[in-house]
Amino acid sequence: MIRRKGTPQTMKTLPPPTAATAPAGRMSRRQWGLLLVLAGNMLIDALEVSVAVVAVPSIGDDLGLARSSAQWVMTGFALGFGALMLFGTRAVALAGRRRMYLLALLGFAAASLLGAVTGDPAVLIATRFVKGFCAALTAPTGLAILSTAMRAGPERDRAISVYTLFGAGGFTAGLLLSGALTPLSWRWTFAFPAPVVLLLFALCLKLIPADETPEGADRHYDTAGAVTLAGGLLALVYGITALPGHGAGDPRTLGALALAAALLAWFARHERRTPRPLLRTELLARPSMLRSAVGAATLNGSYLGLLFLVSYQTQTLWGWTPWQTALAIVPASAPLAVTALLSGRMVARCGAPRLIALGALPPLAGYVLYLRLPGGADYVTAVLPTMLLVGAGFVLSFAALNMQAVSGIPAAERGEASGVYQTAVQLGAAVMLAGVAALLTAYQPAAGATEEQVLAGYRPALELITAAGALGLLTALTGLGRPRTRTAGPAAAHHLTTAPKGKP
């Protein structure tokens, strides 16, 4: 028996924008409206990552945060997105797409406003975590709503292309907006999404159709698994960032790392025993999924770690404005936004494993080039070439990693597989950011140091970033020579929209 949920009797919700509302091959005005609203929110989700990149030094100065603490502004969002992605997918399936999407929009707007006005670093970080969770609810759910509202074929492909384009361009948009707003106040970078999201909420009330869900569905959310995973990862990041200030032997550092190990071990044991786990180990046991998860985690983690470093280098060492820093980083993000719609064709022509291996080479070359910093390299000789090389890596491997992750997986399980993949991507970013920030703090020279001494202090963090890039390349090489697997098809390109560059 099917029942419709999520829409009170008194609310006038327009009928779903189905095939009957427009001639074959054309979308109706309601369908276009739904597409633009969902794509607009996808843009907000994607730019939310990059708005913090340029603003981090200003936030640290204003709130008196060391680099190891300021990184939480970026890490908090990644942890909220990654640690609760699997739980969010389960919540959407059980509580309904419409209801959870609308609640996530309200939560995102409220967290944006609170983060913009608070003077407490802990509250600011908590709002970033909440926004990450809200994005984990809306990014994949928006695509699912589109897939049911549009006819299969050209109509749905066109809608997914628009959605993909908004997601891929969000990172660059966030950089530029943050570069423009941070000189006024870093608080504007967190406040400006709130009115936009509230407007989208009002439109979604009329445009998103009610859900149809089967009665008597198993209501197992696996809250224990979600809380344990999130707690373990938070403890792990805290333990890493505590190393510079307290030392490896300090009880706070050891306690945090021990707690992380215990919670993550309990999570793994719990997921093997619970009837409906959030994370099925069979998915991670698939070689294509495991290679994609490691490859994307190292690509995304090394990239965001580099941007964290560059933001501090350009603004605190070279005295650049946030706008100049944003423009300096754009060469790494813009190429993906420009080529996003061609990525599916590239994968179909060249094959995912080959593109992933080719795409791992340019970022690694860029990181090695950047290691010349202690010799006095500047933007033109080191930063710009590195950004261009990283951008080339994303163009080649971004879509291929997404598509390889779900290759060979039955259509009914691809949503779950995508959630596992995105979790790995975000957690890679969180751990790398914590490691880079900890090394920058540990090797920060005393006041009055020369430029060469400051740049030498960046070297350990750059070596970590380079090691992550090398791991990504080695992982990609293991996929060469294997039988070519069939990708999930054109629709697999939608995964472009759910990752930090929008996210791999």
Side-chain angles (χ1 to χ4, degrees):
M1 178 178 179
I2 302 294
R3 65 188 177 92
R4 190 173 298 275
K5 48 185 299 192
T7 309
Q9 293 281 341
T10 57
M11 183 182 296
K12 292 184 178 181
T13 302
L14 297 176
T18 59
T21 61
R26 294 184 181 179
M27 291 191 295
S28 68
R29 284 185 296 178
R30 269 187 44 74
Q31 287 175 309
W32 272 110
L34 177 64
L35 170 59
L36 293 178
V37 166
L38 296 178
N41 188 66
M42 183 66 248
L43 178 69
I44 295 292
D45 288 343
L47 65 79
E48 190 62 31
V49 179
S50 54
V51 294
V53 172
V54 176
V56 164
S58 298
I59 296 171
D61 290 343
D62 190 27
L63 300 182
L65 300 176
R67 294 170 184 179
S68 57
S69 299
Q71 60 83 30
W72 279 102
V73 179
M74 293 175 63
T75 305
F77 185 88
L79 283 173
F81 195 105
L84 297 176
M85 163 65 81
L86 298 173
F87 176 73
T89 302
R90 178 70 55 81
V92 169
L94 296 179
R97 295 172 182 170
R98 174 188 165 88
R99 176 182 300 172
M100 295 308 297
Y101 196 92
L102 293 174
L103 286 175
L105 289 178
L106 288 179
F108 194 99
S112 295
L113 290 174
L114 180 57
V117 300
T118 185
D120 186 341
V123 174
L124 175 61
I125 293 165
T127 64
R128 296 289 293 165
F129 186 88
V130 170
K131 291 169 81 170
F133 178 41
C134 292
L137 290 172
T138 56
T141 306
L143 182 81
I145 293 170
L146 279 182
S147 298
T148 57
M150 307 296 175
R151 283 174 286 239
E155 181 177 287
R156 184 179 297 172
D157 291 344
R158 186 184 305 116
I160 290 176
S161 294
V162 173
Y163 196 73
T164 297
L165 186 61
F166 273 64
F171 195 92
T172 300
L175 286 174
L176 296 176
L177 279 170
S178 182
L181 293 175
T182 301
L184 301 176
S185 172
W186 62 263
R187 298 180 182 279
W188 285 109
T189 65
F190 297 140
F192 82 86
V196 178
V197 171
L198 289 175
L199 174 61
L200 294 175
F201 173 82
L203 295 172
C204 285
L205 283 174
K206 293 187 175 182
L207 291 171
I208 295 181
D211 297 305
E212 292 184 355
T213 57
E215 283 187 348
D218 184 2
R219 312 297 290 179
H220 182 67
Y221 285 87
D222 194 10
T223 306
V227 171
T228 306
L229 176 61
L233 293 169
L234 285 167
L236 175 62
V237 172
Y238 176 81
I240 294 172
T241 56
L243 284 168
H246 305 301
D250 188 89
R252 285 166 289 188
T253 304
L254 292 174
L257 295 176
L259 177 62
L263 289 174
L264 294 176
W266 190 93
F267 171 77
R269 180 174 178 271
H270 170 76
E271 293 301 289
R272 286 195 299 268
R273 297 189 174 191
T274 189
R276 289 197 62 202
L278 293 176
L279 175 61
R280 289 193 297 117
T281 54
E282 305 93 285
L283 287 174
L284 283 178
R286 299 179 66 94
S288 60
M289 168 62 79
L290 187 58
R291 288 196 307 273
S292 296
V294 173
T298 55
L299 177 66
N300 194 43
S302 60
Y303 173 62
L304 289 177
L306 176 70
L307 296 193
F308 183 84
L309 183 150
V310 169
S311 188
Y312 270 99
Q313 177 195 342
T314 55
Q315 295 184 57
T316 63
L317 179 60
W318 293 346
W320 287 15
T321 66
W323 176 250
Q324 289 173 311
T325 297
L327 291 178
I329 294 172
V330 162
S333 62
L336 178 64
V338 173
T339 62
L341 300 184
L342 303 176
S343 299
R345 297 179 188 175
M346 291 171 55
V347 175
R349 176 171 296 183
C350 302
R354 186 180 304 170
L355 279 178
I356 292 169
L358 288 174
L361 282 170
L364 178 58
Y367 303 148
V368 171
L369 174 64
Y370 213 108
L371 281 170
R372 298 188 315 166
L373 274 175
D378 56 17
Y379 179 76
V380 173
T381 60
V383 182
L384 179 59
T386 296
M387 293 299 160
L388 292 173
L389 288 167
V390 171
F394 271 91
V395 168
L396 289 170
S397 61
F398 187 55
L401 284 163
N402 282 276
M403 294 183 185
Q404 180 181 260
V406 297
S407 64
I409 294 179
E413 299 178 13
R414 284 180 198 154
E416 181 183 5
S418 178
V420 172
Y421 171 80
Q422 293 299 334
T423 297
V425 171
Q426 299 304 322
L427 299 186
V431 173
M432 276 297 298
L433 278 167
V436 168
L439 289 171
L440 288 176
T441 302
Y443 290 91
Q444 185 174 359
T450 65
E451 180 175 346
E452 283 199 6
Q453 290 173 325
V454 174
L455 291 174
Y458 289 164
R459 190 175 183 85
L462 284 168
E463 289 173 345
L464 175 63
I465 293 168
T466 305
L471 176 60
L473 176 60
L474 292 175
T475 303
L477 292 176
T478 64
L480 296 178
R482 294 175 177 269
R484 184 171 170 178
T485 54
R486 186 174 180 269
T487 63
H494 80 262
H495 299 296
L496 285 166
T497 63
T498 57
K501 237 192 145 77
K503 315 163 201 139

